[in-house]
Amino acid sequence: MTRTTTLPSLRTLPFSLLALAIANSAVAAETSLTLDPMVVTGTRSADSSFDQPFSVDSVDRRQIRDGQLGINASEALNRVPGLVIQNRQNYAQDLQISSRGFGARSAFGVRGIKLITDGIPASTADGQGQAATFNLDTAERIEVLRGPASALYGSNAGGVIQLFSRDGQGAPTVGAQTLFGSDGLRRNRLNAEGGNDKAGFILDASRLDTDGYRDHSSARRDQTFAKLHLLPDDNSRLALIYSSLEQNGTQDPLGQAWEAYKANPRSVNINALTYNTRKSIDHQQLGANYERHIGSGTLQVNAYAGRRSVVQYQAIPRVAQNPASHNGGVIDFDRDFHGGSLRWLQPLGAVDLVVGLDYDQSRDDRRGYENFSGNQLGVKGTLRRDEIDTVTSLDPYAQATWKLGDWTLQGGLRYSTVQIDVDDHYLNNGDESGKRRYEKATPTLSVGYAFTPELNGYISAGKGFETPTQGELAYAPSPATGFNYDLAPSTSTQYEIGLKALLGGKTRLNTALFQIDTDDEIVVSSNTGGRTTYQNAGRTQRRGFELGLQSQLSEQWSASLAYTYLQAVYDSSFRAGNKIIDSGNNLPGVPRTSLFAELNWQPREGISTAIEGQYRSQVYVEDSNSEKAAPAYAVFNWRARFEQNLGPWTTHQTLRLDNLFDRQYVGSVIVGDGNGRFYEAAPGRSWYAGAGASYRF
């Protein structure tokens, strides 16, 4: 299947819209960069990001919105150093996100990084998360925490990405937007919001359709979001939040072998077509946040519950499903999840104390079926798996921040407990019921010093803890059968030293040096016949440097830069299957160098246009480093947003051109794929155009 992409005239369209916007605007642009945003991630209470003795960044609403598509978190988070976000161009498998190397080997979704939305975890208790549940249309900001302080968020928190939705404010407003672009992309959105000093609301609904860049990669995604916040008195606040995500029959093109990728980057493996690989998701959740000031202290309570149903058809050959221990080629589960947190914040003179308790549980009614019936392939066949998997975590924690003159001392301790229970109802191949419990204390300590009001330095250290996910426990290494109850958690010791500087009142510079030593790293043991087994390796070491720069060059020009150098290697040799993995080999999925740069021009209020550049060095695809590494690449994008205010009406237009020079490159890799299909092609030159209007009553 071949698609053609028709581009609007690159010479005339942007300049025509630019002239129109200038003609409708006569107000000079105000400074658009916030160099010292307030953050709550890390300290649990609002404080200056500049003063925090650890690496934390905040991406604001303008950066999330202006010239962006509002589809994937990668649009906003590429500007954060330390993060590597690969858009697989595969809505069946979600984004691939790593933080200082944590999460790089995830085969689907996000693992090893804690995802949170309005206090509600988007990661399950075992550490598996879905960034697709983030609603970027309603986001006020996204905060990103890296380094030792992340351990205060529990197991599987190699980093923390926390999205905060905005509150509805002002007179009631209704709006509609539409977006279209390359490869049949269409996105339509309806929204309404409003509020006063007692209450506010936001309603948002969107539908995305795309044919996909690669063959057999079409998707439809429906998202809804509703938020009601109440301020019953001066001392309390209540927010009720509902969100949903629905994807039916999302096609999965699988990975590509190197030769197939080079011959045709849009290609799809024949097995994906033979078995019609696809995935359906139905996700719904409801949460409540309550905060009350009592005397000098503050009580924060959070509760949530939801349900997620997934049916996934894989391309596992029928002959591979012959062993009685095989779970089949169709994954089918219904997950009920719930949890909550209780937190008390108490200032005690120069010390701010936080104590809390987090509880999370997910219960999967998990079934597996053959992906054939008779001679018909790609359908749900005979039952091969039937079990109830329950994961429960209960974590008390405490942390304190002490400010004494120019010094800031912050310490914390969390005791994480994760229990996984399997109740096997499919006894044809024996009873695989059992349980595994993981627990560990994770302390952190950070010391900061203000050399001047414009220059802060800090040192931070801490212990981390990463449990296996249910998917990683699903199979024991051959010749054993059943669950891999012997798989141990990985543990890490992290160190960080950094500087934060405000230069001339118009530039913010962050730098950090870090080292992470990990024991019992969880790695792929084998990947054959649709069964991926995992084992604990020896030691790994990650050393790196991060630099983040934001500068308001003038009233009209601003620039941003995010640079990461990360040397991630195995620090001891180990055997994986029939291979010896040598000490010094690079961890797969982790580029050594990442760079994002942006130059933004805002000539008038209501006009914003920017050039983005992104560079990634080569990425190894498996532990032996012997297979072809995904080559380095550099791509450039252009974006623009125009906005007009006409009485109660506000209108806007968005234009975007990605991969301006039509570079062919590998956008993401599937680490350790047993079929040698490691590569996922990124799109060539792509165009997008959108417009919207809102009416304020």
Side-chain angles (χ1 to χ4, degrees):
M1 178 179 177
T2 302
R3 301 185 187 91
T4 58
T5 300
T6 302
L7 293 173
S9 172
L10 302 186
R11 294 185 177 181
T12 60
L13 183 54
F15 295 105
S16 298
L17 285 174
L18 184 61
L20 174 63
I22 292 175
N24 282 283
S25 178
V27 181
E30 298 179 355
T31 299
S32 56
L33 286 179
T34 302
L35 299 180
D36 187 13
M38 304 294 283
V39 294
V40 301
T41 306
T43 59
R44 315 281 181 167
S45 60
D47 206 346
S48 160
S49 67
F50 185 75
D51 294 334
Q52 301 309 310
F54 43 74
S55 292
V56 60
D57 289 270
S58 180
V59 182
D60 62 31
R61 181 180 175 185
R62 181 192 65 81
Q63 294 166 324
I64 297 170
R65 180 197 65 179
D66 284 4
Q68 308 293 356
L69 307 181
I71 297 174
N72 294 306
S74 56
E75 303 166 18
L77 296 181
N78 279 327
R79 64 181 64 248
V80 178
L83 287 188
V84 175
I85 305 183
Q86 311 279 23
N87 187 346
R88 299 177 183 272
Q89 303 299 319
N90 183 347
Y91 289 91
Q93 301 298 344
D94 207 355
L95 299 176
Q96 186 181 69
I97 304 178
S98 64
S99 175
R100 295 184 176 178
F102 288 104
R105 66 172 63 250
S106 179
F108 65 93
V110 180
R111 62 99 67 240
I113 302 173
K114 189 76 74 175
L115 304 179
I116 307 172
T117 303
D118 288 322
I120 301 170
S123 302
T124 53
D126 67 342
Q128 193 74 50
Q130 299 291 322
T133 59
F134 281 0
N135 191 311
L136 301 178
D137 293 326
T138 61
E140 178 67 27
R141 69 187 189 279
I142 303 174
E143 296 180 4
V144 181
L145 175 66
R146 306 174 303 288
S150 302
L152 288 176
Y153 285 80
S155 63
N156 298 286
V160 180
I161 301 176
Q162 188 163 195
L163 182 146
F164 297 88
S165 64
R166 64 182 183 273
D167 290 340
Q169 296 179 341
T173 301
V174 295
Q177 294 83 38
T178 187
L179 175 76
F180 55 95
S182 295
D183 301 311
L185 185 136
R186 304 168 302 283
R187 186 171 189 264
N188 296 299
R189 173 181 169 233
L190 297 173
N191 65 287
E193 61 183 275
N196 54 31
D197 57 356
K198 291 296 183 182
F201 73 95
I202 290 181
L203 300 171
D204 191 274
S206 65
R207 165 167 287 183
L208 166 73
D209 288 286
T210 178
D211 296 334
Y213 171 69
R214 292 178 57 200
D215 297 336
H216 195 72
S217 62
S218 67
R220 166 170 285 185
R221 190 172 81 183
D222 292 314
Q223 282 187 283
T224 61
F225 180 90
K227 179 179 180 180
L228 173 66
H229 79 270
L230 304 170
L231 302 169
D233 54 52
D234 293 339
N235 294 315
S236 60
R237 182 182 187 277
L238 173 66
L240 301 175
I241 303 161
Y242 169 82
S243 65
S244 71
L245 169 70
E246 184 176 354
Q247 292 182 202
N248 290 320
T250 303
Q251 294 179 331
D252 185 353
L254 306 180
Q256 299 165 291
W258 179 252
E259 295 76 12
Y261 157 75
K262 289 297 291 183
N264 179 11
R266 293 183 183 267
S267 64
V268 61
N269 185 270
I270 187 63
N271 285 348
L273 303 177
T274 301
Y275 288 92
N276 189 17
T277 49
R278 61 200 186 274
K279 187 176 185 178
S280 295
I281 302 170
D282 187 3
H283 178 101
Q284 301 174 345
Q285 66 183 41
L286 177 67
N289 294 320
Y290 178 72
E291 180 175 280
R292 182 167 184 83
H293 301 293
I294 303 174
S296 60
T298 302
L299 174 68
Q300 296 177 346
V301 181
N302 163 272
Y304 69 92
R307 184 175 179 83
R308 182 181 182 89
S309 298
V310 173
V311 180
Q312 182 178 4
Y313 290 79
Q314 300 174 296
I316 300 174
R318 57 191 301 170
V319 67
Q321 301 173 52
N322 287 336
S325 60
H326 204 285
N327 290 339
V330 179
I331 298 171
D332 185 345
F333 70 82
D334 295 308
R335 172 179 299 157
D336 294 309
F337 57 91
H338 65 274
S341 63
L342 182 67
R343 186 180 308 123
W344 179 261
L345 292 76
Q346 180 66 57
L348 299 171
V351 178
D352 291 328
L353 179 66
V354 179
V355 292
L357 181 68
D358 289 347
Y359 167 78
D360 302 288
Q361 185 181 89
S362 65
R363 182 181 184 275
D364 289 8
D365 184 358
R366 186 174 290 268
R367 300 165 296 279
Y369 299 88
E370 294 174 347
N371 57 355
F372 59 89
S373 179
N375 293 323
Q376 190 175 4
L377 305 179
V379 297
K380 189 180 292 186
T382 303
L383 180 71
R384 299 293 297 271
R385 182 181 188 181
D386 185 7
E387 66 198 34
I388 303 296
D389 300 340
T390 305
V391 184
T392 306
S393 67
L394 182 66
D395 293 17
Y397 62 88
Q399 62 187 92
T401 303
W402 181 31
K403 295 185 178 181
L404 184 63
D406 294 329
W407 291 91
T408 299
L409 176 67
Q410 185 184 88
L413 178 66
R414 185 175 182 120
Y415 193 84
S416 293
T417 303
V418 179
Q419 180 163 311
I420 299 178
D421 294 275
V422 178
D423 183 9
D424 189 4
H425 296 168
Y426 183 80
L427 305 179
N428 292 6
N429 57 356
D431 189 352
E432 298 179 0
S433 300
K435 64 177 58 179
R436 187 71 158 89
R437 181 183 178 91
Y438 307 99
E439 52 188 320
K440 189 173 181 62
T442 52
T444 69
L445 179 65
S446 303
V447 179
Y449 182 73
F451 296 99
T452 70
E454 293 79 30
L455 179 63
N456 286 348
Y458 65 89
I459 298 175
S460 183
K463 297 281 190 178
F465 174 56
E466 187 172 17
T467 67
T469 66
Q470 290 184 73
E472 292 165 347
L473 290 167
Y475 296 109
S478 181
T481 60
F483 268 70
N484 189 3
Y485 292 111
D486 293 331
L487 192 60
S490 64
T491 58
S492 62
T493 303
Q494 302 189 41
Y495 307 94
E496 178 183 41
I497 182 170
L499 288 173
K500 302 180 182 182
L502 294 172
L503 308 175
K506 293 186 177 182
T507 299
R508 166 79 177 264
L509 176 68
N510 295 339
T511 63
L513 285 167
F514 61 87
Q515 178 170 313
I516 304 167
D517 297 312
T518 302
D519 291 318
D520 294 324
E521 186 88 37
I522 298 172
V523 302
V524 173
S525 173
S526 66
N527 189 333
T528 59
R531 293 171 50 126
T532 303
T533 63
Y534 294 84
Q535 68 177 65
N536 294 109
R539 299 183 303 274
T540 65
Q541 186 177 83
R542 304 179 181 99
R543 290 177 172 174
F545 171 73
E546 294 173 359
L547 183 148
L549 176 71
Q550 295 187 80
S551 182
Q552 192 68 43
L553 303 174
S554 69
E555 289 187 356
Q556 298 178 338
W557 292 91
S558 62
S560 298
L561 184 144
Y563 171 78
T564 305
Y565 176 83
L566 175 56
Q567 184 183 39
V569 299
Y570 287 106
D571 204 29
S572 63
S573 301
F574 66 97
R575 177 181 291 275
N578 297 322
K579 292 183 177 180
I580 296 295
I581 308 303
D582 294 324
S583 175
N585 279 14
N586 292 276
L587 269 64
V590 182
R592 182 155 293 193
T593 303
S594 299
L595 175 66
F596 172 88
E598 172 190 278
L599 182 63
N600 187 288
W601 182 44
Q602 194 174 1
R604 303 278 184 177
E605 184 180 6
I607 304 171
S608 176
T609 183
I611 290 288
E612 307 166 357
Q614 183 171 296
Y615 170 79
R616 295 258 166 81
S617 61
Q618 70 173 5
V619 175
Y620 291 98
V621 298
E622 43 76 49
D623 291 320
S624 72
N625 296 173
S626 59
E627 297 286 349
K628 172 69 176 179
Y633 67 86
V635 293
F636 295 88
N637 312 316
W638 172 82
R639 70 173 195 263
R641 178 184 169 92
F642 312 100
E643 185 173 304
Q644 304 83 35
N645 295 308
L646 305 170
W649 288 95
T650 298
T651 60
H652 70 264
Q653 304 82 36
T654 296
L655 288 174
R656 186 174 181 90
L657 294 173
D658 285 346
N659 196 355
L660 285 171
F661 301 110
D662 201 22
R663 176 77 180 272
Q664 180 182 340
Y665 66 100
V666 175
S668 61
V669 300
I670 302 173
V671 172
D673 185 85
N675 298 299
R677 299 193 292 264
F678 304 109
Y679 315 96
E680 295 178 293
R685 186 185 297 118
S686 305
W687 66 271
Y688 306 95
S694 61
Y695 182 85
R696 183 178 292 269
F697 292 92

